[in-house]
Structure formats: C-alpha cells, structure tokens
Amino acid sequence: DTLEKFPHLTDVLPAMGYSAAQLDDLAATIEAVPCDAVVVGTPIDLRRLITFSQPAVRVTYAVESVGEPSLEQVVDGFVADYVSPGGV
C-alpha cells in the first residue's frame, strides 16, 4: 500500500508500522532480498525488533532549519490555529 501511495519510492523498503504482523512481513521481505547489506534508516533500530541474515548498518540523521519559516514556527502556527487552549 505504501509503495502504491508513494510511487516515487524506488529501491527502498519503507517500514510503515511496527505491529507483530508488519514486523514479520518486513523481516521476511528483507530476508528474501539478495543484497550486500541492509541500511536501516528508521527512527528506531529495527535490528532490535527483527532478525535477518544480511549485514546491516544503521544510519541516523538530523534536521536543521534553514531560512524562514522554521519548522518551529510552522508547528507553532499550526498549534495556534488548530489546537484549542487546554487540549487538542
């Protein structure tokens, strides 16, 4: 479903959920791919949740705001416009 929704994603395997069934499916899919290595770029380290035989490396990333509006300004504007005082 994810690949149909985002057809620009190629040569990647999106991890879009962490239910037991989704993790089992992800592990089976990774295990079936003949590759030199798996690059894990998810917010959590999938190697702690699933097992696969290929070598893996985890990459991390950070976001840096450049220019205006900043991410903080966008979120603050959203909260001001759509979140009522005292709760969501």
Side-chain angles (χ1 to χ4, degrees):
D1 292 340
T2 300
L3 294 174
E4 288 176 9
K5 185 175 180 180
F6 303 101
H8 65 284
L9 295 177
T10 60
D11 301 325
V12 299
L13 177 61
M16 300 296 291
Y18 302 113
S19 71
Q22 289 167 320
L23 289 171
D24 288 344
D25 186 47
L26 181 61
T29 301
I30 292 171
E31 195 62 35
V33 174
C35 61
D36 295 328
V38 175
V39 178
V40 179
T42 56
I44 64 168
D45 189 353
L46 287 176
R47 297 174 298 178
R48 297 180 71 144
L49 301 177
I50 62 175
T51 302
F52 45 88
S53 61
Q54 296 93 328
V57 62
R58 181 165 185 230
V59 296
T60 59
Y61 45 89
V63 175
E64 180 181 344
S65 289
V66 177
E68 298 282 330
S70 68
L71 178 59
E72 182 179 10
Q73 291 167 328
V74 171
V75 171
D76 287 347
F78 175 83
V79 170
D81 290 344
Y82 296 101
V83 178
S84 63
V88 177

Coordinates of all heavy atoms in Angstrom, one line a residue:
D1 N 0.8 -1.2 0.0 CA 0.0 0.0 0.0 C 0.9 1.3 0.0 O 0.5 2.2 -0.7 CB -0.9 0.0 1.2 CG -2.0 -1.1 1.1 OD1 -2.3 -1.6 0.0 OD2 -2.6 -1.4 2.2
T2 N 1.9 1.2 0.8 CA 2.8 2.4 0.9 C 3.4 2.7 -0.5 O 3.5 3.9 -0.9 CB 3.9 2.2 1.9 OG1 3.2 2.0 3.2 CG2 4.8 3.4 2.1
L3 N 3.9 1.7 -1.2 CA 4.6 1.9 -2.4 C 3.6 2.4 -3.5 O 4.0 3.2 -4.4 CB 5.3 0.6 -2.9 CG 6.5 0.2 -2.0 CD1 7.0 -1.1 -2.5 CD2 7.6 1.3 -2.0
E4 N 2.3 2.0 -3.4 CA 1.3 2.5 -4.3 C 1.0 3.9 -4.0 O 0.8 4.7 -4.9 CB 0.1 1.6 -4.2 CG 0.2 0.2 -4.8 CD -1.0 -0.6 -4.7 OE1 -2.1 -0.1 -4.2 OE2 -0.9 -1.8 -5.0
K5 N 1.0 4.3 -2.7 CA 0.7 5.6 -2.3 C 1.8 6.6 -2.7 O 1.6 7.8 -2.9 CB 0.4 5.7 -0.8 CG -0.1 7.0 -0.3 CD -0.5 6.9 1.1 CE -0.9 8.3 1.7 NZ -1.3 8.2 3.1
F6 N 3.0 6.1 -2.6 CA 4.2 6.9 -2.9 C 5.1 6.3 -4.0 O 6.1 5.7 -3.8 CB 5.1 7.1 -1.6 CG 4.3 7.6 -0.4 CD1 3.9 6.8 0.6 CD2 4.1 9.0 -0.4 CE1 3.2 7.4 1.7 CE2 3.4 9.6 0.7 CZ 3.0 8.7 1.7
P7 N 4.6 6.4 -5.3 CA 5.3 5.7 -6.4 C 6.7 6.2 -6.6 O 7.4 5.6 -7.3 CB 4.3 6.0 -7.6 CG 3.6 7.2 -7.2 CD 3.4 7.2 -5.7
H8 N 7.1 7.4 -6.1 CA 8.4 7.9 -6.3 C 9.5 7.1 -5.5 O 10.7 7.2 -5.7 CB 8.5 9.4 -5.9 CG 8.3 9.6 -4.5 ND1 7.0 9.6 -4.0 CD2 9.1 9.9 -3.5 CE1 7.1 9.9 -2.7 NE2 8.4 10.1 -2.4
L9 N 9.0 6.3 -4.5 CA 9.9 5.4 -3.7 C 10.3 4.2 -4.6 O 9.5 3.4 -4.9 CB 9.2 5.0 -2.5 CG 8.9 6.0 -1.5 CD1 8.1 5.4 -0.3 CD2 10.1 6.8 -1.0
T10 N 11.6 4.2 -4.9 CA 12.2 3.0 -5.6 C 13.4 2.6 -4.9 O 14.1 3.4 -4.2 CB 12.5 3.4 -7.1 OG1 13.4 4.5 -7.1 CG2 11.2 3.9 -7.8
D11 N 13.7 1.3 -5.0 CA 14.9 0.7 -4.4 C 15.0 0.9 -2.9 O 16.1 1.0 -2.4 CB 16.2 1.3 -5.1 CG 16.2 1.0 -6.6 OD1 15.7 0.0 -7.0 OD2 16.7 1.9 -7.4
V12 N 13.8 1.1 -2.3 CA 13.8 1.2 -0.8 C 12.7 0.3 -0.3 O 11.7 0.0 -1.1 CB 13.6 2.6 -0.3 CG1 14.7 3.5 -0.8 CG2 12.3 3.2 -0.8
L13 N 12.7 -0.1 0.9 CA 11.7 -0.8 1.6 C 11.2 0.0 2.8 O 11.9 0.0 3.8 CB 12.2 -2.2 2.0 CG 11.2 -3.1 2.8 CD1 10.0 -3.4 1.9 CD2 11.9 -4.3 3.2
P14 N 10.1 0.7 2.6 CA 9.6 1.5 3.7 C 9.1 0.6 4.9 O 8.4 -0.3 4.7 CB 8.5 2.4 3.1 CG 8.0 1.6 2.0 CD 9.2 0.8 1.5
A15 N 9.5 1.0 6.1 CA 9.0 0.4 7.3 C 7.9 1.3 7.8 O 8.1 2.3 8.4 CB 10.1 0.2 8.3
M16 N 6.6 0.9 7.6 CA 5.5 1.7 7.9 C 4.6 1.1 8.9 O 3.4 0.8 8.7 CB 4.7 2.0 6.6 CG 5.5 2.7 5.5 SD 6.1 4.3 6.0 CE 4.5 5.2 6.1
G17 N 5.1 0.8 10.1 CA 4.3 0.2 11.1 C 5.1 -0.9 11.8 O 6.0 -1.5 11.3
Y18 N 4.8 -1.1 13.1 CA 5.5 -2.0 13.9 C 4.7 -3.0 14.6 O 5.0 -3.4 15.7 CB 6.4 -1.2 14.9 CG 7.4 -0.2 14.2 CD1 7.2 1.1 14.3 CD2 8.4 -0.7 13.3 CE1 8.1 2.0 13.7 CE2 9.2 0.2 12.7 CZ 9.1 1.5 12.8 OH 9.9 2.4 12.2
S19 N 3.5 -3.3 14.1 CA 2.7 -4.4 14.7 C 3.5 -5.7 14.5 O 4.4 -5.8 13.6 CB 1.3 -4.5 14.1 OG 1.4 -5.0 12.7
A20 N 3.1 -6.8 15.2 CA 3.7 -8.1 15.0 C 3.7 -8.6 13.6 O 4.7 -9.0 13.1 CB 3.1 -9.1 16.0
A21 N 2.5 -8.4 13.0 CA 2.3 -8.9 11.6 C 3.2 -8.1 10.7 O 3.8 -8.6 9.7 CB 0.9 -8.8 11.2
Q22 N 3.2 -6.8 10.9 CA 4.1 -5.9 10.0 C 5.5 -6.2 10.1 O 6.3 -6.3 9.2 CB 3.8 -4.5 10.3 CG 2.4 -4.0 9.8 CD 2.0 -2.7 10.4 OE1 2.3 -2.4 11.6 NE2 1.4 -1.8 9.6
L23 N 6.0 -6.5 11.4 CA 7.4 -6.8 11.6 C 7.7 -8.2 11.0 O 8.8 -8.3 10.4 CB 7.7 -6.8 13.1 CG 7.7 -5.4 13.7 CD1 7.8 -5.5 15.2 CD2 8.8 -4.6 13.2
D24 N 6.8 -9.1 11.1 CA 7.1 -10.5 10.5 C 7.2 -10.3 9.0 O 8.1 -10.9 8.4 CB 5.9 -11.4 10.8 CG 6.0 -11.9 12.3 OD1 7.0 -11.7 13.0 OD2 5.0 -12.4 12.8
D25 N 6.3 -9.5 8.4 CA 6.3 -9.3 6.9 C 7.6 -8.6 6.5 O 8.2 -9.0 5.5 CB 5.1 -8.5 6.5 CG 5.0 -8.4 5.0 OD1 5.1 -9.4 4.3 OD2 4.7 -7.3 4.5
L26 N 8.0 -7.6 7.3 CA 9.2 -6.9 7.0 C 10.4 -7.8 7.0 O 11.3 -7.8 6.1 CB 9.4 -5.7 7.9 CG 10.6 -4.8 7.7 CD1 10.6 -4.2 6.3 CD2 10.6 -3.7 8.8
A27 N 10.5 -8.6 8.1 CA 11.6 -9.5 8.2 C 11.7 -10.5 7.1 O 12.8 -10.8 6.5 CB 11.5 -10.2 9.6
A28 N 10.5 -11.0 6.7 CA 10.5 -12.0 5.6 C 10.9 -11.3 4.3 O 11.6 -11.9 3.5 CB 9.1 -12.6 5.5
T29 N 10.5 -10.1 4.1 CA 10.8 -9.4 2.9 C 12.3 -9.1 2.8 O 12.9 -9.3 1.8 CB 10.0 -8.1 2.8 OG1 8.6 -8.4 2.8 CG2 10.3 -7.3 1.5
I30 N 12.9 -8.6 3.9 CA 14.3 -8.3 3.9 C 15.1 -9.6 3.7 O 16.0 -9.7 2.9 CB 14.7 -7.7 5.2 CG1 14.1 -6.3 5.3 CG2 16.2 -7.6 5.4 CD1 14.3 -5.6 6.7
E31 N 14.7 -10.7 4.3 CA 15.4 -12.0 4.2 C 15.4 -12.5 2.8 O 16.3 -13.1 2.3 CB 14.8 -13.0 5.2 CG 15.6 -14.2 5.4 CD 17.0 -13.9 6.0 OE1 17.1 -13.0 6.9 OE2 17.9 -14.7 5.7
A32 N 14.3 -12.1 2.0 CA 14.2 -12.6 0.7 C 15.0 -11.8 -0.4 O 15.1 -12.2 -1.5 CB 12.7 -12.6 0.3
V33 N 15.5 -10.7 0.0 CA 16.2 -9.8 -0.9 C 17.7 -10.2 -0.9 O 18.4 -10.2 0.1 CB 16.1 -8.3 -0.5 CG1 16.9 -7.4 -1.4 CG2 14.6 -7.9 -0.5
P34 N 18.2 -10.5 -2.1 CA 19.7 -10.8 -2.2 C 20.4 -9.4 -2.3 O 20.4 -8.7 -3.3 CB 19.8 -11.5 -3.6 CG 18.6 -11.1 -4.4 CD 17.5 -10.7 -3.4
C35 N 21.0 -9.0 -1.2 CA 21.7 -7.7 -1.1 C 23.0 -7.9 -0.4 O 23.2 -8.8 0.4 CB 20.8 -6.7 -0.5 SG 20.3 -7.0 1.2
D36 N 23.9 -6.9 -0.5 CA 25.1 -6.9 0.2 C 25.0 -6.5 1.6 O 25.7 -6.9 2.5 CB 26.1 -6.0 -0.5 CG 26.5 -6.6 -1.9 OD1 26.5 -7.8 -2.1 OD2 26.8 -5.7 -2.8
A37 N 24.0 -5.5 1.8 CA 23.8 -5.0 3.2 C 22.5 -4.3 3.2 O 21.9 -3.9 2.2 CB 24.9 -4.0 3.5
V38 N 21.9 -4.2 4.5 CA 20.7 -3.5 4.7 C 21.0 -2.2 5.4 O 21.8 -2.2 6.4 CB 19.7 -4.4 5.6 CG1 18.5 -3.6 6.0 CG2 19.4 -5.7 4.9
V39 N 20.6 -1.1 4.9 CA 20.7 0.2 5.5 C 19.5 0.5 6.3 O 18.4 0.6 5.7 CB 21.1 1.3 4.5 CG1 21.2 2.6 5.2 CG2 22.3 0.9 3.7
V40 N 19.6 0.5 7.6 CA 18.4 0.8 8.5 C 18.4 2.3 8.8 O 19.3 2.8 9.5 CB 18.5 0.0 9.8 CG1 17.3 0.3 10.7 CG2 18.6 -1.5 9.5
G41 N 17.4 3.0 8.2 CA 17.3 4.4 8.4 C 16.0 4.8 9.1 O 15.5 5.9 8.9
T42 N 15.4 3.9 9.9 CA 14.2 4.2 10.6 C 14.5 4.9 11.9 O 15.6 4.9 12.4 CB 13.4 2.9 10.9 OG1 14.3 2.0 11.6 CG2 13.0 2.2 9.6
P43 N 13.5 5.6 12.5 CA 13.7 6.3 13.8 C 14.1 5.3 14.9 O 14.8 5.8 15.8 CB 12.3 6.9 14.1 CG 11.6 7.0 12.8 CD 12.1 5.9 11.9
I44 N 13.7 4.1 14.8 CA 14.2 3.1 15.8 C 15.1 2.1 15.1 O 15.0 2.0 13.9 CB 13.0 2.4 16.5 CG1 12.2 1.5 15.5 CG2 12.1 3.3 17.2 CD1 11.3 0.6 16.1
D45 N 15.9 1.4 15.8 CA 16.8 0.4 15.3 C 16.0 -0.9 15.1 O 15.8 -1.6 16.0 CB 18.0 0.2 16.2 CG 19.1 -0.6 15.5 OD1 18.8 -1.1 14.4 OD2 20.2 -0.7 16.1
L46 N 15.6 -1.1 13.8 CA 14.9 -2.3 13.5 C 15.6 -3.6 13.9 O 14.9 -4.6 14.1 CB 14.5 -2.4 12.0 CG 13.5 -1.4 11.6 CD1 13.3 -1.5 10.1 CD2 12.1 -1.7 12.3
R47 N 16.9 -3.6 14.0 CA 17.7 -4.8 14.3 C 17.3 -5.2 15.8 O 17.6 -6.4 16.1 CB 19.2 -4.5 14.2 CG 19.6 -4.2 12.8 CD 21.0 -3.8 12.7 NE 21.3 -2.6 13.5 CZ 22.4 -2.0 13.7 NH1 23.5 -2.5 13.1 NH2 22.5 -0.9 14.4
R48 N 16.7 -4.4 16.5 CA 16.3 -4.8 17.9 C 15.0 -5.4 17.9 O 14.5 -6.0 18.9 CB 16.3 -3.5 18.8 CG 17.7 -2.9 19.0 CD 17.6 -1.7 19.8 NE 17.4 -2.2 21.2 CZ 17.9 -1.7 22.3 NH1 18.7 -0.7 22.2 NH2 17.6 -2.2 23.5
L49 N 14.2 -5.3 16.8 CA 12.9 -5.9 16.7 C 12.7 -7.1 15.8 O 11.9 -7.9 16.0 CB 11.9 -4.8 16.2 CG 11.8 -3.5 17.0 CD1 10.8 -2.5 16.3 CD2 11.3 -3.8 18.4
I50 N 13.6 -7.2 14.8 CA 13.5 -8.3 13.8 C 14.9 -8.8 13.6 O 15.9 -8.2 13.8 CB 12.9 -7.9 12.5 CG1 13.7 -6.8 11.8 CG2 11.4 -7.4 12.7 CD1 13.2 -6.4 10.4
T51 N 14.9 -10.0 13.0 CA 16.2 -10.7 12.7 C 16.2 -11.0 11.2 O 15.3 -11.4 10.6 CB 16.3 -12.0 13.5 OG1 16.2 -11.8 14.9 CG2 17.6 -12.7 13.2
F52 N 17.4 -10.7 10.6 CA 17.6 -11.0 9.2 C 19.1 -11.4 9.1 O 19.9 -10.9 9.9 CB 17.2 -9.9 8.3 CG 17.6 -8.5 8.7 CD1 18.8 -8.0 8.3 CD2 16.7 -7.8 9.4 CE1 19.2 -6.7 8.7 CE2 17.1 -6.5 9.8 CZ 18.3 -5.9 9.4
S53 N 19.5 -12.1 8.1 CA 20.8 -12.6 8.0 C 21.8 -11.7 7.3 O 23.0 -11.9 7.5 CB 20.8 -14.0 7.2 OG 20.3 -13.8 5.9
Q54 N 21.3 -10.7 6.6 CA 22.2 -9.8 5.9 C 22.9 -8.9 6.8 O 22.4 -8.5 7.9 CB 21.5 -9.0 4.8 CG 20.8 -9.7 3.7 CD 19.4 -10.1 4.0 OE1 19.0 -10.3 5.2 NE2 18.6 -10.2 3.0
P55 N 24.2 -8.5 6.5 CA 24.8 -7.4 7.3 C 24.0 -6.2 7.3 O 23.3 -5.9 6.3 CB 26.2 -7.2 6.6 CG 26.3 -8.3 5.7 CD 25.0 -8.9 5.4
A56 N 24.0 -5.4 8.4 CA 23.2 -4.2 8.4 C 24.0 -3.1 9.1 O 24.8 -3.3 9.9 CB 21.9 -4.5 9.2
V57 N 23.6 -1.9 8.7 CA 24.2 -0.7 9.3 C 23.1 0.3 9.6 O 22.1 0.4 8.8 CB 25.3 -0.1 8.4 CG1 24.8 0.4 7.1 CG2 26.0 1.1 9.2
R58 N 23.1 0.9 10.7 CA 22.1 1.9 11.0 C 22.6 3.3 10.7 O 23.7 3.6 11.2 CB 21.6 1.8 12.5 CG 20.5 2.8 12.8 CD 19.8 2.5 14.1 NE 18.7 3.4 14.3 CZ 18.5 4.1 15.4 NH1 19.3 3.9 16.4 NH2 17.5 4.9 15.4
V59 N 21.8 4.1 10.0 CA 22.2 5.5 9.8 C 21.2 6.3 10.6 O 20.1 6.0 10.8 CB 22.1 5.8 8.3 CG1 23.1 5.0 7.5 CG2 20.7 5.6 7.7
T60 N 21.7 7.5 11.0 CA 20.9 8.4 11.7 C 21.0 9.8 11.0 O 21.8 9.9 10.1 CB 21.4 8.6 13.2 OG1 22.7 9.1 13.2 CG2 21.2 7.3 14.0
Y61 N 20.1 10.6 11.3 CA 20.0 11.9 10.6 C 19.5 12.9 11.5 O 18.9 12.6 12.6 CB 19.2 11.8 9.3 CG 17.9 11.1 9.6 CD1 16.7 11.7 10.0 CD2 17.8 9.7 9.4 CE1 15.5 11.1 10.2 CE2 16.6 9.0 9.6 CZ 15.5 9.7 10.0 OH 14.3 9.0 10.3
A62 N 19.7 14.2 11.2 CA 19.2 15.3 12.0 C 18.6 16.3 11.0 O 19.0 16.4 9.8 CB 20.3 15.9 12.8
V63 N 17.7 17.2 11.5 CA 17.1 18.2 10.7 C 17.7 19.5 11.2 O 17.7 19.8 12.4 CB 15.6 18.2 10.9 CG1 15.0 19.3 10.1 CG2 15.1 16.8 10.3
E64 N 18.0 20.4 10.3 CA 18.5 21.7 10.6 C 17.6 22.7 9.8 O 17.5 22.6 8.6 CB 19.9 21.9 10.3 CG 20.5 23.3 10.6 CD 21.9 23.5 10.2 OE1 22.6 22.5 9.9 OE2 22.4 24.6 10.1
S65 N 17.0 23.6 10.5 CA 16.2 24.6 9.9 C 17.1 25.6 9.2 O 18.0 26.1 9.7 CB 15.3 25.4 10.9 OG 14.3 24.5 11.3
V66 N 16.7 25.9 7.9 CA 17.4 26.9 7.2 C 16.4 27.9 6.6 O 15.6 27.5 5.8 CB 18.3 26.2 6.0 CG1 19.0 27.3 5.2 CG2 19.2 25.2 6.6
G67 N 16.5 29.1 7.0 CA 15.6 30.1 6.4 C 14.3 30.2 7.2 O 14.1 29.6 8.3
E68 N 13.4 30.9 6.6 CA 12.1 31.2 7.3 C 11.0 30.7 6.4 O 11.1 30.7 5.1 CB 11.9 32.7 7.5 CG 12.9 33.3 8.4 CD 12.6 33.1 9.9 OE1 11.5 32.9 10.2 OE2 13.6 33.0 10.7
P69 N 9.9 30.1 6.9 CA 9.7 29.9 8.3 C 10.4 28.7 8.7 O 10.6 27.7 8.0 CB 8.1 29.7 8.4 CG 7.8 29.1 7.1 CD 8.7 29.8 6.1
S70 N 10.8 28.6 10.0 CA 11.4 27.5 10.6 C 10.4 26.4 10.9 O 9.2 26.7 10.9 CB 12.2 27.8 11.9 OG 11.3 28.2 12.9
L71 N 10.8 25.2 11.1 CA 9.9 24.1 11.5 C 9.2 24.5 12.8 O 8.0 24.3 12.9 CB 10.6 22.8 11.7 CG 9.8 21.6 12.1 CD1 8.7 21.3 11.1 CD2 10.7 20.4 12.3
E72 N 9.9 25.1 13.7 CA 9.3 25.5 15.0 C 8.2 26.6 14.7 O 7.1 26.5 15.3 CB 10.3 26.1 15.9 CG 9.8 26.5 17.3 CD 10.8 27.1 18.2 OE1 12.0 27.3 17.8 OE2 10.5 27.3 19.4
Q73 N 8.4 27.5 13.8 CA 7.4 28.5 13.5 C 6.1 27.9 12.9 O 5.0 28.2 13.2 CB 7.9 29.6 12.6 CG 9.0 30.4 13.3 CD 9.8 31.3 12.3 OE1 10.0 30.9 11.2 NE2 10.2 32.5 12.8
V74 N 6.4 26.9 12.0 CA 5.2 26.2 11.3 C 4.4 25.5 12.3 O 3.2 25.5 12.3 CB 5.7 25.3 10.2 CG1 4.6 24.4 9.6 CG2 6.4 26.1 9.1
V75 N 5.1 24.7 13.2 CA 4.4 24.0 14.2 C 3.6 24.9 15.2 O 2.4 24.7 15.5 CB 5.3 23.0 15.0 CG1 4.6 22.4 16.2 CG2 5.9 21.9 14.0
D76 N 4.3 25.9 15.6 CA 3.6 26.9 16.5 C 2.4 27.5 15.8 O 1.3 27.7 16.5 CB 4.6 28.0 16.9 CG 5.6 27.6 17.9 OD1 5.5 26.4 18.5 OD2 6.6 28.3 18.1
G77 N 2.5 27.8 14.5 CA 1.3 28.4 13.8 C 0.2 27.4 13.7 O -1.0 27.7 13.9
F78 N 0.5 26.1 13.5 CA -0.5 25.1 13.4 C -1.2 24.9 14.7 O -2.4 24.9 14.8 CB 0.2 23.7 13.0 CG -0.8 22.6 13.0 CD1 -1.6 22.4 11.9 CD2 -0.9 21.8 14.1 CE1 -2.5 21.3 11.9 CE2 -1.8 20.7 14.1 CZ -2.6 20.5 13.0
V79 N -0.4 24.9 15.8 CA -1.0 24.7 17.1 C -1.9 25.9 17.5 O -3.0 25.7 18.0 CB 0.2 24.5 18.2 CG1 -0.4 24.6 19.6 CG2 0.9 23.2 18.0
A80 N -1.4 27.1 17.1 CA -2.2 28.3 17.4 C -3.6 28.3 16.6 O -4.6 28.7 17.1 CB -1.5 29.5 17.1
D81 N -3.5 27.7 15.4 CA -4.7 27.7 14.6 C -5.7 26.6 14.8 O -6.9 26.7 14.6 CB -4.3 27.7 13.1 CG -3.7 29.0 12.6 OD1 -3.8 30.0 13.3 OD2 -3.0 29.0 11.5
Y82 N -5.1 25.4 15.2 CA -5.9 24.2 15.2 C -6.1 23.5 16.6 O -6.8 22.6 16.7 CB -5.4 23.2 14.2 CG -5.5 23.7 12.8 CD1 -4.4 24.2 12.2 CD2 -6.7 23.7 12.2 CE1 -4.5 24.7 10.9 CE2 -6.9 24.1 10.9 CZ -5.8 24.7 10.2 OH -5.9 25.1 9.0
V83 N -5.3 23.9 17.6 CA -5.4 23.3 18.9 C -6.0 24.3 19.9 O -5.6 25.4 20.0 CB -4.0 22.9 19.4 CG1 -4.1 22.2 20.8 CG2 -3.3 21.9 18.4
S84 N -7.1 23.8 20.5 CA -7.8 24.7 21.4 C -7.0 24.8 22.7 O -6.3 23.9 23.1 CB -9.2 24.1 21.7 OG -9.1 22.9 22.3
P85 N -7.2 25.9 23.4 CA -6.5 26.1 24.7 C -6.9 25.0 25.7 O -8.0 24.6 25.7 CB -7.0 27.4 25.2 CG -7.4 28.2 24.0 CD -7.9 27.1 23.1
G86 N -5.9 24.4 26.3 CA -6.2 23.3 27.3 C -6.2 21.9 26.7 O -6.5 21.0 27.4
G87 N -6.0 21.8 25.4 CA -6.0 20.4 24.9 C -6.3 20.4 23.4 O -6.5 21.4 22.8
V88 N -6.2 19.2 22.9 CA -6.4 19.0 21.4 C -7.8 19.0 21.1 O -8.6 18.4 21.7 CB -5.7 17.8 20.9 CG1 -5.9 17.5 19.5 CG2 -4.2 17.9 21.3

